[in-house]
Amino acid sequence: DAGITQSPRYKITETGRQVTLMCHQTWSHSYMFWYRQDLGHGLRLIYYSAAADITDKGEVPDGYVVSRSKTENFPLTLESATRSQTSVYFCATRLAPRNNEQFFGPGTRLTVL
Amino acid sequence: KQEVTQIPAALSVPEGENLVLNCSFTDSAIYNLQWFRQDPGKGLTSLLLIQSSQREQTSGRLNASLDKSSGRSTLYIAASQPGDSATYLCAVSPTIKFYFGSGTKLNVKP
């Protein structure tokens, strides 16, 4: 029972490059989320998705793109990476919008040089 | 916008002590509140989920309470152990999304 997997777990890239972070779930939860976690800012929501082909912006969406063609996958793309996007990125899922827990993946540590 | 505050930011206690972590939120219109644990370099592990209609939830040595009207929740840890050392985060959910506090970093000394 893998739950939520994220890949890669660690990534180093250069400013201006495109980077895609992958998130895969085995539960078929409807809702999926992308957060970034930074010292001094806590967890901030980037994008979320209510179902395949339905996505919406969170608190800090600029510079990021998401897609969700299949229920189980929710990739996050940094179109042109900047140093300010150096962070730890967490994917999370939730079965339904109310009265259900949110579950988190192990995270991807991204460094932009 | 929902604001979630956790006090204290850090706490150090000797092993065996009972302790309380605090979480406050500004908008009482929530569906539920969830407590998480995060170990260094790891993801978030769900500890307890309290529905808006509930006053408390218990799991082992953990007990979480919720007072929606005052915008407060507490996480009580009984007989703390060094293995409890981690950062504890609370999050409230008024809709689909969760809003997180910045966490309380707990250190339990042997």
Side-chain angles (χ1 to χ4, degrees), chain A residues 24-86:
Chain A
H24 174 79
Q25 57 146 332
T26 59
W27 295 316
S28 297
H29 286 177
S30 297
Y31 293 85
M32 297 187 75
F33 307 83
W34 274 107
Y35 294 90
R36 59 179 291 174
Q37 186 175 38
D38 306 284
L39 280 174
H41 291 281
L43 275 157
R44 292 182 290 175
L45 182 65
I46 305 171
Y47 269 96
Y48 64 101
S49 169
D53 298 322
I54 301 175
T55 62
D56 206 349
K57 296 178 181 179
E59 185 183 356
V60 288
D62 293 343
Y64 303 95
V65 174
V66 293
S67 62
R68 195 170 175 202
S69 58
K70 294 183 178 181
T71 301
E72 61 266 30
N73 297 324
F74 191 37
L76 175 74
T77 298
L78 288 66
E79 295 184 296
S80 179
T82 64
R83 289 179 182 169
S84 66
Q85 292 177 310
T86 292

Side-chain angles (χ1 to χ4, degrees), chain A residues 37 94 98-99 101-102, chain B residues 32 34 38 46 51 93 96:
Chain A
Q37 186 175 38
R94 194 175 190 187
R98 306 177 188 177
N99 303 332
E101 296 174 80
Q102 190 168 67
Chain B
N32 47 52
Q34 191 169 358
Q38 186 175 29
S46 177
Q51 311 292 0
S93 175
I96 297 169

Side-chain angles (χ1 to χ4, degrees), chain B residues 21-44:
Chain B
L21 306 181
N22 297 294
C23 172
S24 61
F25 46 96
T26 54
D27 187 344
S28 62
I30 63 171
Y31 286 121
N32 47 52
L33 183 147
Q34 191 169 358
W35 282 94
F36 295 88
R37 168 187 173 136
Q38 186 175 29
D39 293 288
K42 304 290 186 182
L44 280 70

Side-chain angles (χ1 to χ4, degrees), chain B residues 8-100:
Chain B
L11 182 63
S12 185
V13 300
E15 181 178 4
E17 196 164 289
N18 302 324
L19 57 100
V20 174
L21 306 181
N22 297 294
C23 172
S24 61
F25 46 96
T26 54
D27 187 344
S28 62
I30 63 171
Y31 286 121
N32 47 52
L33 183 147
Q34 191 169 358
W35 282 94
F36 295 88
R37 168 187 173 136
Q38 186 175 29
D39 293 288
K42 304 290 186 182
L44 280 70
T45 300
S46 177
L47 296 174
L48 290 163
L49 176 77
I50 309 178
Q51 311 292 0
S52 60
S53 58
Q54 297 174 318
R55 297 298 299 270
E56 64 179 64
Q57 278 283 1
T58 298
S59 177
R61 294 182 293 108
L62 305 179
N63 176 277
S65 68
L66 174 63
D67 185 343
K68 267 185 58 175
S69 60
S70 67
R72 294 184 180 185
S73 176
T74 61
L75 179 67
Y76 174 82
I77 302 177
S80 59
Q81 303 170 356
D84 294 330
S85 298
T87 297
Y88 292 80
L89 298 109
C90 72
V92 298
S93 175
T95 55
I96 297 169
K97 297 178 283 188
F98 275 94
Y99 294 88
F100 283 82

